[in-house]
Amino acid sequence: MDTLKVALLGCGNVGSQVARILLEDADDLAARVGARLELAGIAVRNIDSPREVDLPRHLFTTDAETLVKGKDIVIELMGGIEPARSLILRAIEGGSTVVTGNKALIATHGQQLYAKAHEAGVRLAYEAAVAGAIPILRPIRESLSGDRITRVLGIVNGTTNYILDQMDSTGAQFADALKAAQALGYAEADPTADIEGLDAAAKGAILAGLSFHTDFNLDDVYCEGITKVTADDIAAAKDASMVIKLLAIAEKLITEDGTEGISVRVHPTLLPRTHPLAAVHGAFNAVFVEADNAGQLMFYGQGAGGAPTASAVLGDVVSAARALVAGGPWRLEDTKAEIPALPLSAVTTSYCIGLDVADQPGVLARIAQIFASHGVSIETMRQTIHTEPAAAALAAERPAAELRIVTHRGPEAALAATVEDIRALDVVNSVISVLRVEGV
Ligand SMILES: NC(=O)C1=CN([C@@H]2O[C@H](COP(=O)(O)OP(=O)(O)OC[C@H]3O[C@@H](n4cnc5c(N)ncnc54)[C@H](O)[C@@H]3O)[C@@H](O)[C@H]2O)C=CC1
Ligand SMILES: N[C@@H](CC=O)C(=O)O
Ligand code: NA
């Protein structure tokens, strides 16, 4: 039986699990591939760092550049842009198949990497980059390639879903929930990427690119993270039988002037508790795909964590290794559509606006008048009289009330302008929160 040489770059949460599976399941993998996958080496920063998985010391090297030379398959699990990008380019130029889980890299330098892989006739696979263990990229790229996708909507970041879920179900504080997500191996090396929505935005760009056969990168994605979501927002959502989730949404839209475009956005979103995505707990992810002929599909599973993500990496490795054994050519999509990315202002959505207002006659009428002036229609309005007035109300020395207003769907630009005009009203102490609503 032939042997395929595999280099592994990075031995953290995911890399260590990939190494474990390559060694423990070597016989099974060989039977599935038709060749043995020989782990030739693992590039690390420090050979003596403690690791969760016990791996043979002779495999470790700090010389990643030499390790990638002459390998059939290079697996990149270091994360970050450099030196991951240069090492991947070197591997591609050397004729190696590359498997990576690095969404930050694919969403920023994907086009350069695909072009190089295309030129070299090698495969670049990254199923682990989006929604961890969930097979989502291959179904979009292959199973749905005969259909027309119109919308992709999902929870694609495990860390933020874990944090929001803990805050909702146990009343945990944001910082404690984040620490737990880090300890469980869900968070990025710098968790800012998770909580500011950038990780989900990178995944949104990748999903949009494959779904709409065009090139998108991180800059095309409107991105809002969860750092402004407060315990009060979560409690208010609960009162209204809603839940807050960080969603990535990519959809095809026709603008007012008839132009077709794609909107890709990531933001905290209110969903009814009866919505299927509301039942996605912990670090689980779920992605809805809507296509012209298939209708609605939902993909669900573990979106983060060492072993689940390693499963997706190994899936790509086995698939690429089989292609190498069969000696068949690897074809990437040749022709791309050129559908523009649309700004957030082109989107139609619904808002839930939380306001701290003066509790006095005429306030509701003045607020309602502003909605009317922007053509935004109110669906529900809920008023709570503060037992403990907010700081802004105390400063204004007047009784205060909290309003939660949910609008009907309307143009994002009109909704945003409405909020700005309301913010300027003298009877409004503060705009407590603005959350978009889906699924109602
Ligand atoms: N942890 C997760 O749940 C998931 C992670 N990913 C992606 O997989 C990749 C790896 O993630 P984790 O394993 O969680 O990260 P990690 O931070 O646990 O591991 C990365 C490892 O690479 C090593 N490394 C970094 N730069 C290096 C260099 N120049 N030379 C040698 N070693 C270097 C680090 O020392 C560390 O041990 C990232 O791109 C991440 O976005 C994708 C899906 C899920
Ligand atoms: N940090 C990411 C890891 C998987 O992509 C997440 O929390 O989802
Ligand atoms: Na995946």
Side-chain angles (χ1 to χ4, degrees), residues 9-15 43-45 51 62 64 76-80 82-83 87 100-104 128-130 132 185-189 199 203 303-306 309:
L9 310 179
C11 195
N13 292 309
V14 186
V44 293
R45 274 201 187 116
R51 291 171 216 288
T62 53
E76 185 278 308
L77 291 166
M78 299 187 311
E82 285 297 347
L87 289 165
T100 177
N102 194 333
K103 51 269 164 151
V130 179
Y186 304 148
E188 295 303 301
D199 178 81
K203 292 164 177 168
T309 307

Side-chain angles (χ1 to χ4, degrees), residues 118-131:
H118 196 59
E119 220 175 280
V122 301
R123 186 182 289 218
L124 169 66
Y126 45 90
E127 180 60 73
V130 179

